[in-house]
C-alpha cells in the first residue's frame, strides 16, 4: 500500500470559516454573518472588475509565468528594483516557497506562538524543527498577545535558517514597534533570513509601528511578505508578494515557484488594485473607524481587547473559547476560535458587527439558554 510521508499524515486539515449561506440554511434564517476570515466588507474595486472583464478573454492562454507587469508595478509602487520582488499565489504559497528555499531537514524555523497557523505546518512539511516562542502580554496584567522579541532572538541556534515575525500578529492583532524591532533585527545573525509577515500592514495606525520595507533597506537578511487578499480585496484571486533586500533571496524564492500559479486574472486585478490606492486608502480608513468602534463596544461590555493594528480584534477568552464560538454560530455569527485561547473577530460592516455584539451579549449573559460560563465573570450560563 502506498503511504504518504509520516510528516504529511500528521498534518491537521485546514479548517476555513464556514460558508454563511450553509449556516443560514442550517439554522433556518435569512442570513448568517461571517466574521472569520479577515476579508474586507467591500465589493471588488471598480478598476479590478474592469481588469477582470478585459482579461477574461485571454484565459485560454497560460499566464505570464514571471508576472512581469505586476512585478514592475510593485517595484515602482515601493521604489525597489524588480529583481527584489517575487509575486506568488497568495502569501501562504510564498511562505511555503521560503521554507523550500532555505530549510533542509534538520534545520529550524523560528516564530512566535500563537501566530499565523501555517508556520508550524511549514516546518513540519520541510522536516525542520519549530522554534516556538510564547507570546507575552502587551498590557500589564493582560493575556499573552504580542511578540517577545528578546526571547525570539535568544532561541535562534546554528540550525536556524528562517524566522517569521508576523506584524501585526495574526490572530492577536498586536504589533511590535520600531525601536524594539530594530534592536531585534540587529541581534539576529546574518545567516538567518528574517521574514516580516505584513499581511495587515495597510491597517496599521500606530505611528511607532514601522513599515517593514523601511527596516529592510540595508539589511540583506530581511524580506517582507505582503498580500492583496486583505486591504486590496482580492482574497478570491490568491496573489501575494515578497520583497527582499538581497536579490539572491528573491531569486531563491523564485526558483521554487509553481509554474503559472499566479493566474492572468490575479495579475491583472493586482495591477488594477495598485492603481486604485486612493480608493483602497478610503476603504481602509472606514475599516479602521469601525475597528475602533467595535473595540470600544467590547471594552464597554467588560471584555479584554488588545489594541488592534489589523482588520480584526482578539477576544482572549481562554477555556470557554470553543463554547462561546459555538454559541455565536448557533446565533448565525461565524467567528474564528482558537480553542483554549481566544476568538478572532473580523471587522465587518457596522450592521454585521452589531449582529455580532447582540449575539455576544446573549451568550455572555446566559440569554437563550447558552451553555458554558460567563466569559467575563466565570459564572454559569444558561
Amino acid at each position: 500500500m502506498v503511504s504518504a510521508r509520516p510528516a504529511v499524515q500528521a498534518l491537521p486539515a485546514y479548517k476555513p470559516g464556514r460558508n454563511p449561506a450553509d449556516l443560514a440554511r442550517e439554522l433556518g434564517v435569512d442570513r448568517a454573518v461571517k466574521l472569520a476570515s479577515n476579508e474586507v466588507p467591500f465589493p471588488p474595486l471598480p478598476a479590478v472588475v474592469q481588469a477582470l472583464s478585459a482579461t477574461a478573454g485571454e484565459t485560454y492562454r497560460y499566464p505570464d509565468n514571471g508576472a512581469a507587469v505586476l512585478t514592475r508595478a510593485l517595484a515602482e509602487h515601493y521604489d525597489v528594483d524588480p529583481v527584489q520582488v517575487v509575486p506568488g499565489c497568495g502569501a501562504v504559497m510564498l511562505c511555503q516557497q521560503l521554507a523550500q528555499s532555505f530549510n533542509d531537514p534538520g534545520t529550524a524555523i523560528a516564530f512566535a506562538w500563537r501566530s499565523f497557523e501555517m508556520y508550524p505546518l511549514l516546518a513540519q512539511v520541510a522536516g525542520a524543527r519549530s522554534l516556538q516562542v510564547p507570546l507575552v502580554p502587551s498590557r500589564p496584567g493582560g493575556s499573552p498577545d504580542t511578540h517577545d522579541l528578546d526571547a525570539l532572538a535568544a532561541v535562534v541556534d546554528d540550525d536556524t535558517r528562517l524566522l517569521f515575525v508576523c506584524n501585526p500578529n495574526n490572530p492577536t492583532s498586536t504589533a511590535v514597534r520600531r525601536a524594539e524591532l530594530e534592536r531585534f533585527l540587529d541581534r539576529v545573525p546574518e545567516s538567518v533570513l528574517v521574514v516580516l509577515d505584513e499581511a495587515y500592514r495597510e491597517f496599521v495606525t500606530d505611528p511607532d509601528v514601522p513599515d517593514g520595507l523601511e527596516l529592510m533597506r540595508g539589511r540583506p537578511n530581511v524580506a517582507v511578505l505582503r498580500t492583496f487578499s486583505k486591504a486590496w480585496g482580492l482574497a478570491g484571486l490568491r496573489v501575494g508578494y515578497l520583497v527582499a533586500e538581497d536579490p539572491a533571496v528573491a531569486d531563491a524564492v523564485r526558483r521554487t515557484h509553481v509554474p503559472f500559479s499566479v493566474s492572468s486574472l490575479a495579475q491583472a486585478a493586482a495591477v488594477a488594485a495598485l492603481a486604485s490606492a486612493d480608493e483602497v486608502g478610503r476603504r481602509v480608513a472606514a475599516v479602521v473607524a469601525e475597528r475602533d468602534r467595535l473595540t470600544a463596544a467590547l471594552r464597554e461590555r467588560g471584555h479584554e481587547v488588545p489594541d488592534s493594528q489589523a482588520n480584526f480584534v482578539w477576544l482572549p477568552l481562554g477555556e470557554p473559547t470553543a463554547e462561546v464560538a459555538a454559541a455565536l454560530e448557533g446565533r448565525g455569527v461565524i467567528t474564528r476560535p482558537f480553542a483554549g485561547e481566544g476568538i478572532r473577530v473580523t471587522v465587518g460592516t457596522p450592521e454585521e458587527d452589531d449582529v455580532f455584539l447582540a449575539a455576544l451579549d446573549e451568550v455572555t449573559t446566559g440569554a437563550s439558554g447558552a451553555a458554558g460560563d460567563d466569559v467575563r465573570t466565570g459564572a454559569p450560563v444558561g
Side-chain angles (χ1 to χ4, degrees):
M1 182 176 70
V2 177
S3 297
R5 293 170 49 212
V8 173
Q9 291 178 338
L11 286 175
Y14 180 78
K15 295 182 179 180
R18 287 198 62 183
N19 184 303
D22 291 342
L23 179 60
R25 284 192 294 270
E26 180 181 307
L27 297 176
V29 297
D30 292 335
R31 179 189 179 212
V33 172
K34 182 184 178 185
L35 303 175
S37 298
N38 296 344
E39 301 142 330
V40 289
F42 302 106
L45 294 157
V48 166
V49 174
Q50 293 174 8
L52 292 174
S53 177
T55 310
E58 302 172 13
T59 53
Y60 69 103
R61 302 283 192 188
Y62 284 112
D64 173 14
N65 190 50
V69 174
L70 175 56
T71 298
R72 287 196 299 270
L74 285 165
E76 181 178 346
H77 188 78
Y78 292 115
D79 191 24
V80 295
D81 193 293
V83 298
Q84 297 175 261
V85 179
V86 187
C89 185
V92 173
M93 177 64 80
L94 285 163
C95 285
Q96 182 172 315
Q97 290 176 238
L98 284 161
Q100 291 173 331
S101 301
F102 296 100
N103 283 98
D104 287 317
T107 60
I109 300 176
F111 48 89
W113 195 252
R114 175 169 292 275
S115 191
F116 183 37
E117 58 195 295
M118 286 302 298
Y119 298 157
L121 303 184
L122 294 172
Q124 191 170 340
V125 171
R129 290 182 295 122
S130 288
L131 303 179
Q132 300 185 18
V133 176
L135 299 175
V136 293
S138 59
R139 298 184 296 176
S143 300
D145 57 25
T146 197
H147 283 68
D148 184 345
L149 291 183
D150 287 337
L152 191 56
V155 80
V156 171
D157 60 21
D158 292 340
D159 295 324
T160 306
R161 298 291 180 270
L162 199 57
L163 190 157
F164 287 98
V165 178
C166 191
N167 200 42
N169 188 49
N170 177 15
T172 61
S173 80
T174 61
V176 292
R177 294 179 170 176
R178 179 181 302 276
E180 183 182 6
L181 191 52
E182 286 181 335
R183 286 196 303 270
F184 167 77
L185 293 175
D186 289 341
R187 286 185 60 187
V188 175
E190 294 181 359
S191 59
V192 177
L193 178 63
V194 179
V195 179
L196 302 178
D197 187 344
E198 295 188 333
Y200 302 95
R201 169 65 207 174
E202 292 84 356
F203 301 102
V204 171
T205 54
D206 184 342
D208 287 335
V209 176
D211 183 328
L213 290 169
E214 295 177 5
L215 296 190
M216 176 196 76
R217 298 180 194 274
R219 291 184 168 94
N221 69 322
V222 176
V224 176
L225 188 63
R226 293 188 180 174
T227 182
F228 283 95
S229 293
K230 311 304 181 186
W232 302 88
L234 303 185
L237 289 171
R238 310 306 304 133
V239 54
Y241 54 97
L242 181 87
V243 183
E245 175 67 0
D246 185 353
V249 169
D251 179 68
V253 175
R254 204 175 287 114
R255 289 171 184 270
T256 59
H257 168 76
V258 176
F260 308 118
S261 57
V262 184
S263 73
S264 52
L265 293 174
Q267 292 181 39
V271 171
L274 278 176
S276 303
D278 290 345
E279 175 59 25
V280 171
R282 287 188 286 271
R283 293 181 174 199
V284 166
V287 171
V288 168
E290 178 61 12
R291 177 185 75 194
D292 294 345
R293 185 186 79 91
L294 179 59
T295 298
L298 289 166
R299 289 176 176 170
E300 288 169 2
R301 288 161 166 79
H303 295 283
E304 178 191 341
V305 182
D307 293 331
S308 174
Q309 294 298 312
N311 70 329
F312 54 88
V313 297
W314 173 247
L315 285 177
L317 302 179
E319 192 61 35
T321 291
E323 291 180 85
V324 171
L328 289 171
E329 194 167 297
R331 290 162 174 77
V333 179
I334 304 166
T335 58
R336 188 60 181 264
F338 297 82
E341 298 178 61
I343 292 175
R344 189 189 70 194
V345 184
T346 303
V347 176
T349 65
E351 295 76 15
E352 290 173 332
D353 292 339
D354 284 342
V355 171
F356 160 69
L357 290 168
L360 186 65
D361 286 343
E362 289 188 1
V363 172
T364 57
T365 58
S368 302
D373 290 341
D374 186 299
V375 297
R376 296 166 300 180
T377 67
V381 170

